[in-house]
Amino acid sequence: METSTQPQSDLAGLLEKLAHLLPEQGPLQTFVHHNTLHALEHLPFAEAVVEASRRFGTEPFQTEAAFGKHLESGRILPTDIDAVLAVEPEGRSAGESILGGLTVRHFRANRLRHLFEVPRGAALGWHIAESEMLERRHPMVDASRRRMLTSQADRYHAALPVGQRVPRLLREAWESLVSSAREFAVVRAPRSVRRRDQLVALGARDVDQRVQPLLIRLTASFLDQGVAAWTMPEREMGLLVAVRNLYTGSVPRSEPLLRAMRLEFRRQLEAGESAEETIEAALDALGIKRDEHESYLGATLLALPGWAGMVRQFELRPDRAPVEALPARLMDFLALQLTLDGVAAGLELERFRGPGATWADLEQALDSLGTDDHGPSLELAYEAFVMAQVAPVDLAVFSRPEVVHRWLEETLACSELERRRLLHEAYERRLRVTFLDGFAAHCRRGAVVAPKPRFQALFCIDERECSTRRHLEEGHPEVETFGYAGFYGVAMAWQAIGEHRPRPLCPVNLTPEHFVTERALSSSESVAWDDLRRRRGLAVHALTEGSRSLAAGGLLTAAMGPLSVVPMIGRCLFPRLTERLSHRWVQGGAVPPKTRLVLEREGHERDSEGRYRGYSVPEMVDVVEQVLETIGLVRDLCELVVVVGHGSSSLNNPHEAAHDCGATGGGRGGPNARAFAAMANHSGVRVGLRERGLAIPDSTWFLGAYHNTCDDETVYYDLDLLPEAHLASAEEFRTALGEACQLEAHERCRRFESAPRNGDIAAAMRHVQGRSVDLGQPRPEYGHATNAYAVVGRRSRTRGLFMDRRAFLCSYDPTTDPSGAILGGLLAAVGPVGAGINLEYYFSFVDPVGYGCGTKLPHNITGLIGVMDGHASDLRTGLPWQMVEIHEPVRLLMVVEALPATLEGLLDPESPVGRLVVNRWVQLVAWDPDSERLWEYGGNGFTEYAEESLVLPEVDSSAEFYRNERGHLPCARITGAELGSESQTAQLEEAR
């Protein structure tokens, strides 16, 4: 056994490297979308997903069966396959002949069009023995090819009876392929380095089944945010120390595992081992060689990636803890995991191999295991055999060894993984072509001519606000809308009145340096409100604690158990009514006090976390200037500018934060919109802006608002500050946005199976409001599902373009940015955020179990930090199936209003956005600021896009286009955005 002398600094560096493989998902309260494979962004997308598949045991693309359905439905066209193969395969000659006139490209095109199943293992043996595969042509052989095979059989076996000719031809080809297939080496997965896996391979019991439930309970108890009735003792000292003290101070147990754990923890305490020293000792005890440390520790962490990742998040971002920031360290978690693994594996080795057995004995036993290469070679022969039948080749030439060898070689090269990659490219191409054709056609017809704006509104770039803006512009052409990341440049730690602790409201890659809160205007209202919250909290706490005791729990269950059925039934059958009654009962007549933001800072005051208490005037000037310059709103400001943040509220939905604003770190963007409006209205800020050349008219007023994307209600802030001259305008805008939200609800309902289908707008609004408070509703809204595009440019050029709620819309005016400096900063923010949302939906769809978190049905919330399947599982860190089931897994298509030369100058491969583009994690298209011309970015730079179709439907309103449609829709031009939609107005009048 080799003794480790690895320095602790090396171990810390190694752990830092391995930690990048862990999920970066924070607690549920701050569930924010990110690239699931962030650690592999340095690789091209296709390589990264394959590497992740090998490392994590996950799926890189949709299954071949799924692609087969797309081919049948027309979602993938033959022209898409041909276009993809026109540049494939890389590094090989596409025109190289395999057999006769059949080239590599033709072979692959045939294989992609014939997605037959290859039986595996014993199933193939049964199929060969029991089916008539050697007597009859494969079912995928079409009529034309059947006649060709018959003709070949007649020519080569004319002496045989007619009924035996084709079987003889098939059997001869099969025997030749089987004989040659055995010469092909089959690459096998490397042996696992984990002792647990090695024991299982030899038939021993699974150590993880004994260790992981205990490790899960210990980690959950340590990270608990106030749910547990009993708190883990001494957890303020860290996970490893707390567990050591817990077990060494307990009564000795007779169970061998617990007894051995107690002895090991006592040894560690007596030796005064640090976590690093414990890890090194565990590696030595397990007989892990120095060059295997990285792979072993990586495999160990990935045994429970959800829990390991959550510990890491508490370590890196304690400010995101829902209630209490705990001294979590990944080093402690790994030391505890290795300790438990080592003790349990040692006991199992002794039980399985006998007393005195060593890990060297185990490796010798593994080396003695034989392998069977016959199965994989037979599978290769079967696939090549079917391909020989469906491809236009002469089966008789398979008697020549060189032909057979070349055929098998190409069959192996066009593996299932390669086919799925090519089909995914074709799948994405069809969506890309459909969108870009419609996009270019809309641009060719010219921008929609809208009247001079009377109102301007800023929305988040979120694709759900894409349709809200469209409906607003259709019904009220005098409204001009803009898109900006929903934190509106206000990267703050926010604490609302009555909240326990602040939470960051900014992109997850930022750490807020400013703390903002609010104060009540009336002390009496504040006292009454606080008293109500306190009494309600004490009552809930008393009931919760009492229900967990023996006597009070029994009495409460007997007395209140039957009564608890009433609100549960109400929440499921009459959700809207029950919510209103519950709201009145909870508030008890008390009204939340009016508040003001504590926003301005005069000195350098800081809070306990070292953050500035508010913003100085120059800092506020910077925020407002950056936002207005980026979106191009530097002139012609209207008298009323509304800043709309967004979020989502729903009942019984652990992933509620995933429906909130990603730009605010999984929070709700209302406070950010309110803060930005207050900054823009500040007299000192306007003076500062004027000195910088950006003059906001004295008559302009900014109004903050919050849009709930689940129930489509809108709240406005600080209306009591609104100047009297703006009251009528504000009321008019509120009516306009309210109507747009009703139409937004109507459009969303086409995706819900249980939604009304009669086209009634009022009924649609009632339905979405009911879904948001329905206790039994697993799909309160679909969130970012269906996102596919991002458009960075002037809204005036895309106004009136129906994009099916699938586009992130970010405002940018290239005419005010000749150097591209503003665009560079904008892409640095929009690219990673949009890609993160898009890629998490992609991975959660293609592998709902490995990357997503499966179905919601077995989910249980643990410690307010995450969900588990049942009572003990790994934390599920992806998206539930109910959030992604209608999604199309494609990479984000970014269309940027800039010339190719400008974009090429911004694509630094070392920058986050450059890495995403160059490595093809997103697809980039340059959009000519002066015409409809488009250029696609590929491996060798930009190439001009050639349209395939010039057809663009034209309708009066969005509802006219999506009526009675459930699935995804192409682009369309909405004329109502120019003159006002007559059909939309009629629908709203009917709803009233």
Side-chain angles (χ1 to χ4, degrees):
M1 183 185 302
E2 181 180 340
T3 303
S4 172
T5 58
Q6 178 171 283
Q8 293 184 16
S9 60
D10 290 353
L11 184 59
L14 177 57
L15 190 57
E16 186 71 23
K17 176 182 177 181
L18 295 173
H20 288 291
L21 298 173
L22 299 174
E24 287 192 345
Q25 198 55 265
L28 286 174
Q29 177 184 297
T30 55
F31 194 108
V32 62
H33 298 291
H34 65 290
N35 180 6
T36 308
L37 299 185
H38 58 274
L40 301 176
E41 284 182 1
H42 63 284
L43 296 174
F45 174 79
E47 293 181 22
V49 295
V50 173
E51 170 63 17
S53 176
R54 181 192 65 80
R55 188 184 290 265
F56 306 132
T58 48
E59 296 292 343
F61 309 104
Q62 294 183 72
T63 63
E64 206 166 48
F67 283 125
K69 292 179 180 178
H70 295 317
L71 283 166
E72 291 175 6
S73 67
R75 176 60 180 78
I76 299 176
L77 300 178
T79 54
D80 297 317
I81 292 177
D82 293 338
V84 168
L85 291 175
V87 294
E88 295 281 351
E90 296 181 2
R92 298 168 61 90
S93 172
E96 178 187 349
S97 176
I98 301 175
L99 180 59
L102 190 74
T103 64
V104 171
R105 183 180 299 166
H106 293 146
F107 178 92
R108 294 194 164 198
N110 266 282
R111 187 63 181 95
L112 295 179
R113 287 174 171 83
H114 297 90
L115 299 178
F116 54 86
E117 182 181 359
V118 178
R120 305 294 179 185
L124 179 56
W126 180 92
H127 186 71
I128 295 170
E130 302 296 332
S131 73
E132 297 182 330
M133 60 167 281
L134 299 180
E135 305 297 326
R136 299 178 181 274
R137 306 168 187 85
H138 193 273
M140 278 200 167
V141 178
D142 60 26
S144 173
R145 178 60 178 161
R146 292 173 70 88
R147 289 192 295 270
M148 186 183 298
L149 288 175
T150 300
S151 176
Q152 292 174 14
D154 292 341
R155 185 166 65 254
Y156 293 111
H157 299 292
L160 294 176
V162 173
Q164 297 179 17
R165 294 173 185 173
V166 170
R168 172 64 68 85
L169 187 69
L170 295 175
R171 188 172 296 276
E172 289 175 348
W174 168 251
E175 291 172 352
S176 297
L177 289 165
V178 169
S179 177
S180 296
R182 292 170 182 165
E183 302 173 10
F184 284 78
V186 178
V187 178
R188 295 184 175 275
R191 179 197 299 171
S192 173
V193 296
R194 289 192 69 205
R195 296 306 187 196
R196 168 263 180 203
D197 298 323
Q198 294 172 357
L199 284 165
V200 170
L202 289 172
R205 292 183 301 186
D206 190 344
V207 170
D208 278 355
Q209 292 180 1
R210 305 184 67 193
V211 168
Q212 287 188 357
L214 177 59
L215 181 60
I216 289 168
R217 289 198 298 272
L218 292 171
T219 310
S221 180
F222 173 74
L223 295 178
D224 177 72
Q225 295 292 294
V227 176
W230 292 347
T231 302
M232 174 183 275
E234 300 179 302
R235 65 176 184 165
E236 67 277 0
M237 301 179 68
L239 175 61
L240 184 60
V241 173
V243 173
R244 283 173 176 173
N245 292 337
L246 182 66
Y247 275 87
T248 54
S250 63
V251 177
R253 303 293 182 90
S254 58
E255 208 279 325
L257 177 61
L258 296 178
R259 187 169 63 249
M261 284 170 47
R262 187 170 185 268
L263 292 174
E264 174 58 21
F265 284 135
R266 175 175 292 177
R267 184 200 66 76
Q268 293 176 9
L269 279 175
E270 292 174 350
E273 284 184 358
S274 65
E276 292 83 349
E277 290 169 338
T278 297
I279 291 172
E280 293 170 358
L283 292 172
D284 288 342
L286 288 166
I288 307 302
K289 301 179 179 64
R290 182 78 53 78
D291 59 358
E292 293 180 331
H293 280 188
E294 180 174 344
S295 57
Y296 194 90
L297 294 179
T300 300
L301 287 173
L302 293 176
L304 285 175
W307 284 108
M310 188 59 66
V311 170
R312 178 66 169 172
Q313 289 304 303
F314 269 79
E315 180 179 11
L316 294 179
R317 293 297 301 268
D319 60 319
R320 298 172 70 188
V323 179
E324 181 181 3
L326 297 161
R329 290 202 319 149
L330 186 60
M331 191 75 75
D332 287 351
F333 177 84
L334 180 58
L336 176 60
Q337 187 177 12
L338 282 174
T339 297
L340 299 181
D341 280 351
V343 169
L347 290 174
E348 186 61 20
L349 175 66
E350 187 174 308
R351 185 196 70 81
F352 184 63
R353 303 294 295 178
T358 66
W359 297 113
D361 297 334
L362 183 71
E363 291 183 345
Q364 289 179 1
L366 287 169
D367 291 337
S368 66
L369 290 177
T371 58
D372 177 22
D373 293 329
H374 180 66
S377 64
L378 200 60
E379 293 164 8
L380 174 62
Y382 177 85
E383 186 175 352
F385 177 62
V386 177
M387 274 303 298
Q389 295 180 59
V390 299
V393 295
D394 189 340
L395 249 61
V397 299
F398 281 85
S399 59
R400 293 156 48 189
E402 67 276 10
V403 170
V404 173
H405 189 277
R406 184 69 184 88
W407 191 260
L408 288 168
E409 183 181 60
E410 194 54 43
T411 302
L412 190 62
C414 192
S415 63
E416 179 189 359
L417 193 59
E418 177 68 358
R419 295 194 298 273
R420 289 165 68 186
R421 181 186 71 82
L422 294 169
L423 287 166
H424 176 75
E425 293 284 353
Y427 180 79
E428 285 188 328
R429 182 185 183 277
R430 177 47 36 201
L431 182 66
R432 184 170 65 249
V433 167
T434 301
F435 176 70
L436 293 181
D437 282 355
F439 191 89
H442 178 78
C443 294
R444 182 180 294 104
R445 297 188 189 183
V448 167
V449 181
K452 182 179 179 180
R454 294 180 52 236
F455 309 101
Q456 288 159 331
L458 277 65
F459 290 85
C460 181
I461 65 173
D462 191 290
E463 82 285 0
R464 290 168 292 181
E465 300 290 41
C466 166
S467 52
T468 306
R469 293 169 63 181
R470 172 167 32 84
H471 286 299
L472 181 60
E473 293 161 350
E474 284 179 39
H476 300 270
E478 69 279 6
V479 176
E480 182 180 23
T481 68
F482 298 85
Y484 191 86
F487 77 114
Y488 294 113
V490 186
M492 63 180 178
W494 163 254
Q495 186 172 6
I497 188 169
E499 288 189 347
H500 175 71
R501 69 193 302 261
R503 60 162 297 168
L505 289 183
C506 59
V508 70
N509 62 322
L510 299 179
T511 300
E513 298 180 357
H514 300 83
F515 168 73
V516 177
T517 184
E518 59 182 344
R519 61 177 175 82
L521 292 180
S522 169
S523 58
S524 59
E525 288 182 356
S526 178
V527 170
W529 182 251
D530 289 342
D531 183 60
L532 172 66
R533 289 170 55 89
R534 187 181 308 106
R535 285 187 281 109
R536 187 174 69 223
L538 289 173
V540 171
H541 179 73
L543 285 172
T544 302
E545 290 296 309
S547 67
R548 293 171 176 171
S549 64
L550 181 61
L555 292 173
L556 285 171
T557 301
M560 302 185 67
L563 295 177
S564 65
V565 176
V566 177
M568 183 174 67
I569 293 175
R571 286 290 189 185
C572 294
L573 299 182
F574 312 102
R576 295 174 69 239
L577 175 62
T578 305
E579 173 63 17
R580 287 198 296 268
L581 294 175
S582 174
H583 186 69
R584 292 175 186 172
W585 178 80
V586 168
Q587 286 201 353
V591 179
K594 291 182 180 179
T595 64
R596 290 285 184 270
L597 297 180
V598 182
L599 188 62
E600 184 176 355
R601 181 187 83 251
E602 295 183 357
H604 298 281
E605 321 90 77
R606 296 176 183 262
D607 66 3
S608 59
E609 300 294 328
R611 297 172 293 223
Y612 288 110
R613 289 185 175 274
Y615 288 78
S616 66
V617 172
E619 288 172 335
M620 290 192 280
V621 172
D622 291 339
V623 170
V624 176
E625 179 186 37
Q626 180 184 12
V627 173
L628 296 184
E629 281 195 344
T630 300
I631 65 177
L633 187 56
V634 294
R635 55 183 178 271
D636 300 327
L637 276 78
C638 295
E639 290 190 355
L640 183 65
V641 180
V642 183
V643 186
V644 185
H646 76 97
S648 176
S649 63
S650 50
L651 188 67
N652 192 26
N653 178 24
H655 294 86
E656 183 180 54
H659 291 149
D660 284 327
C661 180
T664 61
R668 295 173 183 172
N672 300 78
R674 184 185 184 187
F676 181 85
M679 290 180 180
N681 290 328
H682 192 288
S683 59
V685 171
R686 296 201 175 185
V687 170
L689 289 171
R690 193 173 297 113
E691 291 173 351
R692 299 184 186 185
L694 200 166
I696 297 178
D698 294 337
S699 60
T700 295
W701 186 261
F702 287 78
L703 179 63
Y706 167 73
H707 174 212
N708 187 325
T709 59
C710 194
D711 65 12
D712 275 311
E713 292 284 356
T714 306
V715 175
Y716 293 85
Y717 300 108
D718 301 325
L719 287 172
D720 56 319
L721 294 178
L722 196 67
E724 186 174 351
H726 293 78
L727 291 176
S729 296
E731 186 58 34
E732 188 177 347
F733 181 85
R734 291 175 67 182
T735 300
L737 184 57
E739 292 175 349
C741 287
Q742 290 185 62
L743 292 161
E744 161 78 354
H746 183 259
E747 182 172 346
R748 288 199 294 132
C749 279
R750 77 184 186 88
R751 295 288 194 177
F752 300 134
E753 289 293 336
S754 58
R757 303 193 184 194
N758 57 8
D760 186 339
I761 294 177
M765 192 69 176
R766 290 193 299 270
H767 180 78
V768 299
Q769 290 176 344
R771 293 181 80 91
S772 68
V773 292
D774 188 342
L775 183 65
Q777 180 54 256
R779 302 171 182 85
E781 69 158 299
Y782 271 122
H784 297 285
T786 75
N787 78 84
Y789 325 119
V791 180
V792 180
R794 287 169 287 181
R795 176 58 176 167
S796 59
R797 300 190 69 193
T798 59
R799 184 180 174 119
L801 179 63
F802 180 89
M803 290 180 275
D804 201 18
R805 301 185 81 243
R806 307 187 72 177
F808 299 104
L809 295 179
C810 189
S811 293
Y812 165 70
D813 188 348
T815 64
T816 63
D817 183 33
S819 67
I822 293 176
L823 180 60
L826 184 59
L827 292 181
V830 174
V833 170
I837 294 171
N838 171 267
L839 290 168
E840 181 155 48
Y841 272 81
Y842 172 93
F843 290 115
S844 293
F845 184 96
V846 298
D847 194 334
V849 176
Y851 289 130
C853 62
T855 178
K856 285 183 174 182
L857 296 181
H859 286 176
N860 279 322
I861 300 176
T862 178
L864 295 181
I865 57 174
V867 296
M868 298 190 301
D869 285 338
H871 72 284
S873 80
D874 192 17
L875 283 184
R876 308 305 303 273
T877 57
L879 302 177
W881 180 248
Q882 287 80 3
M883 282 180 65
V884 303
E885 59 189 346
I886 65 169
H887 186 64
E888 285 189 316
V890 295
R891 288 169 287 181
L892 187 69
L893 176 63
M894 291 182 61
V895 180
V896 181
E897 190 178 6
L899 292 173
T902 302
L903 289 174
E904 284 177 338
L906 300 174
L907 296 181
D908 178 6
E910 299 303 318
S911 68
V913 67
R915 188 166 56 246
L916 288 170
V917 172
V918 172
N919 288 333
R920 308 290 286 155
W921 292 83
V922 298
Q923 304 172 87
L924 180 64
V925 173
W927 173 25
D928 190 343
D930 299 316
S931 74
E932 74 280 2
R933 295 175 68 192
L934 301 168
W935 294 268
E936 296 178 275
Y937 182 83
N940 299 317
F942 285 93
T943 56
E944 187 162 3
Y945 174 73
E947 298 169 62
E948 291 189 4
S949 172
L950 303 179
V951 176
L952 180 66
E954 189 170 302
V955 292
D956 176 55
S957 70
S958 298
E960 186 180 329
F961 188 63
Y962 66 69
R963 183 178 291 115
N964 299 323
E965 296 288 344
R966 289 284 188 188
H968 305 290
L969 294 172
C971 293
R973 188 176 176 94
I974 311 298
T975 58
E978 182 171 2
L979 302 174
S981 170
E982 296 180 3
S983 59
Q984 185 188 89
T985 302
Q987 283 182 304
L988 287 168
E989 288 296 333
E990 184 180 346
R992 296 191 191 100

